[in-house]
Amino acid sequence: MKYLLPIVFCIASTTSGHSQVSWIDTMRQTLITFPQDTLRVLHLLQIGNYFENENLDSSEWYYRQALALSRELNAPFFEGKTISWFTDVLNKQGKLNESLELNLRGYEIGKLLDHTRLTIASLSNIAATYQYLADYESTLKYQLEALPVLEKMGDQNFLSSALNNISGTYQLLRQYERAEIYAQRALEVSQKSQNHADRISALISLGVIANHLTSFEEALDYLHQALAVTETHQMPYEQGIILLNIGENYTQMGTPSLAIPYLTKGISLAENYGDAETQARLLLAMGNALIALEKFPEAAVFLDRAIVVAESNGFRDALKKIYLAASDAELALGHFDQYVTYRERYSVLTDSLINATVLQNTAEFETKYQAEKKQQEIERLEKEGEIQRLQLRQRQGIITALGIVLGLLAAVAFLYFQNLHNKQQLVKQQIELQENQILQLEQDKQLTAVDAMLRGQEVERTRLARDLHDGLGGMLSGVRQTLDAMKGNQIITEESARGFNRALEMLDSSIGELRRVARNMMPEALLKFGLNDAIRDMCDAINDTGKMRVQYQSFGLNTRLPESQEVILFRVTQELLNNIMKHSGASQVLIQLVQDGKRIHLTVEDNGKGFDTEILHKAPGIGWLNIKSRVDYLAGTLQLRSQPGQGTTVEIEFMQKDKA
């Protein structure tokens, strides 16, 4: 995972690399001479900053001294400054709750002192901690809160870094369209400020986003732009990562032969630069490209190299993928024994990655406990005399004999009560199983009833729509044609002619309204072409009225859903749009329908006047109850977000059922 870069206050240092050891020794020695004032706080911060890359525990100790002193001096600015430096150490140590608490305190100090840079640093660090906690919604909240402050401050380097971070968070939330907007802004700002690192980050983000949106050519264009920047400004680490992305992209596009030269260059570069992790990933990518080209012997060679690099450096996540690819190559070569070996390693490593931490902590605790226990026993025996040891042995013999007798009795009692308990548990489980079966039957019965009701409603809608359109609509059209023919055969006054024409116009309007009602009851596009086209037609019809602009986006809808689910989704979307037109006063609406495997996600968002959602909890309308009942039938989730003056967003998600 790519974590956010925290913003801290930096103190310039003029020391050179070869004299750092003597510099830190001098700093620690002179610390004794400093009085308890803010200069001592700054001195502690510099020492803590030095140890961040050497020893996190030492860095933490000095930062805690600086924090305690700044609070003792009642110096809020230096307290906030210390917090902004300290937070990255706490995050790396996994002390995330303490880090979050301190950063929130730093944010309060920044607002209290009206100190822009301290406020920005605190917001950025809060966002970084939330990302470590995998709470991406909260991460985004604080990133967006910091953005207007950064824009007002005018520091282009901070701004481009913040925009890249926001884009990265949107990518983690899989909202790629919004991620693209912020990555484009980051690119524009970094180009103006000549910040090459942020420019490369923005270009890589745009390439990754385009890849997710299946715009592979566009993705390659961004990655090649980033590659040109790294070549011009001698940035080998970033260049290796970009070459890896280009190679993987070509393989994904089905043109692995084009990936080979980029991966070859990347492997050489990573090897020379000493970037073992990127080297392992490049070797894996080369192996996958050669497998795609069916060059299995060459693929096996690169994957063997990848295994050596990953095993020697402990890159377990990469190693798992390498074992899987290597097993495919060996199977294609007919080396069945080697295939089985790699598959077993892959399975073992997959399992071990899940519980390695737990097992390690347990083993360390057990070893420590046993060592302490043995040491205590040795010390006790050394302090006692020979007579005391003999008496102890005699007593132990008696106690052991009694213990054996009592143990046998306890074992018999335990077996009896255990057998009794097992029988009781078995009876209890049987009762619970029967109750669950009854409950399941009741639920199935209710579900069948609801399904029958919904199907009956839609069948009746279809019948009524057909009767209105073909029956009554046809009759009205016939009346219209008859009246039109009579008009040409009769001699009537001018005033009567005008009345006759108005009657014909009203009849035309009635026929049009009748057909519109029939289409709303059961659109032909839904039955013939499916949900995607039906929603698009409904949005186009609203756009044609000019009352509101509706933008519709769909992703991954390659096959049709079961008919019942398509009808329910269409009705829910139709009801939401009707509510927006009636109540919201919105000028723009965004509808997104996404299918990710069996997961279906519908988002309807408007820029209307919004409302207090508590109103729906207290007195829900018929339309909202219809929406909730349909979502419940789909066994889905329904989320509503709205505030007065801030528009409304409705999100619905459910799992696609297999077609009957």
Side-chain angles (χ1 to χ4, degrees):
M1 179 183 292
K2 179 182 178 183
Y3 286 98
L4 306 178
L5 298 175
I7 299 175
V8 298
F9 294 96
C10 298
I11 297 177
S13 173
T14 57
T15 57
S16 61
H18 66 274
S19 61
Q20 279 192 338
V21 175
S22 58
W23 175 82
I24 192 60
D25 289 340
T26 303
M27 292 288 287
R28 296 171 75 175
Q29 291 171 3
T30 56
L31 181 63
I32 304 173
T33 64
F34 276 84
Q36 298 292 100
D37 57 14
T38 54
L39 288 177
R40 183 179 180 87
V41 173
L42 293 176
H43 205 70
L44 287 165
L45 288 179
Q46 292 187 68
I47 299 175
N49 183 60
Y50 169 83
F51 278 111
E52 277 196 34
N53 296 322
E54 302 292 331
N55 188 313
L56 288 177
D57 291 337
S58 297
S59 179
E60 178 190 4
W61 190 88
Y62 284 103
Y63 281 147
R64 288 197 185 279
Q65 295 295 313
L67 185 61
L69 180 56
S70 62
R71 288 174 172 173
E72 182 181 335
L73 296 171
N74 193 23
F77 170 76
F78 288 92
E79 180 184 355
K81 188 183 187 74
T82 302
I83 289 171
S84 70
W85 286 50
F86 191 10
T87 184
D88 198 35
V89 171
L90 291 174
N91 287 340
K92 291 175 181 177
Q93 291 177 318
K95 299 176 181 178
L96 302 178
N97 291 329
E98 183 182 3
S99 174
L100 185 60
E101 182 179 350
L102 285 175
N103 281 321
L104 290 170
R105 167 62 181 160
Y107 181 40
E108 292 177 1
I109 293 172
K111 291 194 296 183
L112 179 67
L113 300 178
D114 195 21
H115 196 286
T116 303
R117 296 176 74 89
L118 181 56
T119 301
I120 291 172
S122 298
L123 287 170
S124 174
N125 293 338
I126 292 170
T129 303
Y130 272 122
Q131 191 181 51
Y132 274 98
L133 290 166
D135 185 351
Y136 303 128
E137 295 285 352
S138 298
T139 301
L140 187 61
K141 172 188 173 184
Y142 285 97
Q143 287 175 330
L144 293 175
E145 189 173 343
L147 188 58
V149 185
L150 277 168
E151 291 172 335
K152 184 178 179 181
M153 188 176 72
D155 189 313
Q156 298 300 301
N157 289 329
F158 275 2
L159 180 58
S160 60
S161 178
L163 290 167
N164 272 324
N165 285 338
I166 293 173
S167 175
T169 305
Y170 271 123
Q171 291 176 57
L172 291 171
L173 291 169
R174 304 177 72 174
Q175 298 183 27
Y176 298 112
E177 289 80 5
R178 295 184 180 180
E180 184 179 19
I181 293 172
Y182 286 94
Q184 286 285 4
R185 287 188 60 191
L187 179 60
E188 294 171 3
V189 174
S190 60
Q191 286 175 331
K192 292 178 181 178
S193 63
Q194 297 296 308
N195 187 324
H196 305 304
D198 283 348
R199 183 183 176 191
I200 290 171
S201 294
L203 287 168
I204 293 176
S205 288
L206 288 168
V208 171
I209 292 166
N211 189 285
H212 278 290
L213 297 176
T214 66
S215 300
F216 300 118
E217 295 294 340
E218 185 179 358
L220 284 172
D221 180 58
Y222 284 123
L223 292 172
H224 279 294
Q225 290 183 51
L227 182 62
V229 177
T230 61
E231 291 173 342
T232 302
H233 298 282
Q234 301 298 314
M235 304 169 77
Y237 173 77
E238 292 83 356
Q239 189 175 350
I241 294 175
I242 295 167
L243 290 167
L244 170 64
N245 277 276
I246 292 174
E248 290 179 335
N249 209 45
Y250 274 126
T251 301
Q252 188 176 358
M253 290 172 63
T255 55
S257 59
L258 299 178
I260 301 300
Y262 292 97
L263 296 174
T264 302
K265 182 178 180 181
I267 292 169
S268 175
L269 191 67
E271 189 174 2
N272 293 334
Y273 184 65
D275 184 0
E277 183 176 6
T278 304
Q279 182 186 359
R281 293 174 61 194
L282 282 159
L283 289 167
L284 170 60
M286 178 67 86
N288 285 328
L290 291 168
I291 288 174
L293 291 169
E294 298 184 0
K295 296 182 178 181
F296 301 112
E298 295 92 329
V301 172
F302 280 98
L303 292 171
D304 286 343
R305 289 176 58 189
I307 290 172
V308 172
V309 175
E311 286 182 341
S312 60
N313 289 278
F315 301 144
R316 304 183 73 190
D317 287 332
L319 190 59
K320 181 179 70 171
K321 298 176 183 176
I322 296 169
Y323 282 148
L324 185 61
S327 69
D328 292 339
E330 296 298 337
L331 181 63
L333 291 170
H335 302 159
F336 188 73
D337 291 341
Q338 193 62 34
Y339 160 78
V340 173
T341 300
Y342 283 136
R343 279 285 172 169
E344 290 176 347
R345 291 182 184 179
Y346 167 77
S347 300
V348 170
L349 187 56
T350 300
D351 294 337
S352 66
L353 285 171
I354 297 173
N355 56 23
T357 303
V358 176
L359 291 177
Q360 181 179 355
N361 292 340
T362 303
E364 289 177 355
F365 178 83
E366 180 66 21
T367 302
K368 183 178 180 181
Y369 171 79
Q370 293 295 339
E372 291 178 353
K373 184 178 179 181
K374 290 179 181 178
Q375 183 63 31
Q376 291 172 1
E377 181 70 13
I378 291 171
E379 291 175 357
R380 184 180 63 80
L381 291 174
E382 288 176 347
K383 291 178 182 179
E384 293 178 350
E386 185 66 26
I387 296 175
Q388 291 174 325
R389 285 198 295 273
L390 290 174
Q391 291 175 344
L392 179 61
R393 288 174 183 172
Q394 291 174 350
R395 291 172 184 170
Q396 286 177 337
I398 296 171
I399 292 172
T400 301
L402 290 173
I404 292 172
V405 174
L406 291 174
L408 291 172
L409 293 174
V412 172
F414 172 77
L415 291 174
Y416 171 77
F417 285 110
Q418 184 68 24
N419 184 44
L420 181 62
H421 176 72
N422 288 340
K423 289 181 178 179
Q424 292 174 343
Q425 287 294 110
L426 182 59
V427 172
K428 183 179 178 181
Q429 290 175 359
Q430 289 175 344
I431 294 173
E432 289 178 352
L433 181 60
Q434 291 174 351
E435 291 176 348
N436 289 334
Q437 288 175 343
I438 294 171
L439 180 61
Q440 183 64 41
L441 289 173
E442 288 291 337
Q443 291 175 345
D444 290 343
K445 181 180 178 181
Q446 293 174 3
L447 187 61
T448 302
V450 172
D451 183 56
M453 181 188 70
L454 290 174
R455 288 180 181 272
Q457 288 178 350
E458 296 305 328
V459 169
E460 187 63 17
R461 282 176 179 267
T462 303
R463 186 189 66 79
L464 287 174
R466 187 179 298 112
D467 289 346
L468 287 172
H469 186 275
D470 298 340
L472 185 56
M475 291 174 62
L476 289 175
S477 296
V479 171
R480 173 59 167 89
Q481 293 174 1
T482 302
L483 291 175
D484 198 41
M486 288 175 60
K487 177 184 175 183
N489 295 329
Q490 300 294 325
I491 300 175
I492 57 177
T493 64
E494 183 178 348
E495 183 178 353
S496 297
R498 284 197 299 271
F500 198 84
N501 288 333
R502 283 196 297 272
L504 289 176
E505 291 173 358
M506 292 174 63
L507 186 57
D508 288 338
S509 299
S510 299
I511 294 172
E513 181 65 16
L514 178 64
R515 289 175 176 169
R516 185 189 67 79
V517 171
R519 282 197 302 271
N520 284 340
M521 293 185 72
M522 183 52 66
E524 293 183 8
L526 180 62
L527 298 177
K528 293 182 179 179
F529 306 110
L531 178 64
N532 199 26
D533 289 338
I535 294 180
R536 183 170 286 107
D537 287 350
M538 179 168 57
C539 295
D540 291 341
I542 295 174
N543 289 332
D544 289 341
T545 65
K547 297 179 181 179
M548 186 170 64
R549 179 64 182 171
V550 183
Q551 182 182 0
Y552 173 58
Q553 300 172 347
S554 62
F555 306 97
L557 294 175
N558 300 322
T559 58
R560 292 192 59 173
L561 305 179
E563 181 179 336
S564 60
Q565 293 186 350
E566 288 194 338
V567 170
I568 289 174
L569 266 183
F570 178 80
R571 294 299 178 204
V572 168
T573 307
Q574 188 179 49
E575 186 67 39
L576 289 172
L577 284 174
N578 287 337
N579 288 342
I580 292 170
M581 288 189 290
K582 290 179 182 177
H583 308 297
S584 73
S587 60
Q588 292 186 348
V589 179
L590 173 63
I591 300 176
Q592 288 185 336
L593 183 59
V594 180
Q595 181 175 9
D596 182 9
K598 287 187 174 295
R599 186 180 67 88
I600 310 296
H601 190 98
L602 172 67
T603 302
V604 180
E605 182 176 354
D606 68 68
N607 66 345
K609 59 187 178 183
F611 63 95
D612 184 358
T613 56
E614 288 298 321
I615 296 174
L616 285 182
H617 295 300
K618 296 177 181 178
I622 297 298
W624 184 249
L625 291 175
N626 285 338
I627 292 171
K628 288 189 66 177
S629 65
R630 285 184 163 93
V631 174
D632 291 341
Y633 172 73
L634 294 173
T637 59
L638 173 64
Q639 291 186 347
L640 170 66
R641 296 192 299 274
S642 183
Q643 290 183 6
Q646 297 187 17
T648 303
T649 300
V650 177
E651 293 188 12
I652 296 169
E653 184 172 304
F654 65 94
M655 299 302 294
Q656 176 188 347
K657 299 178 182 177
D658 294 331
K659 295 182 180 180

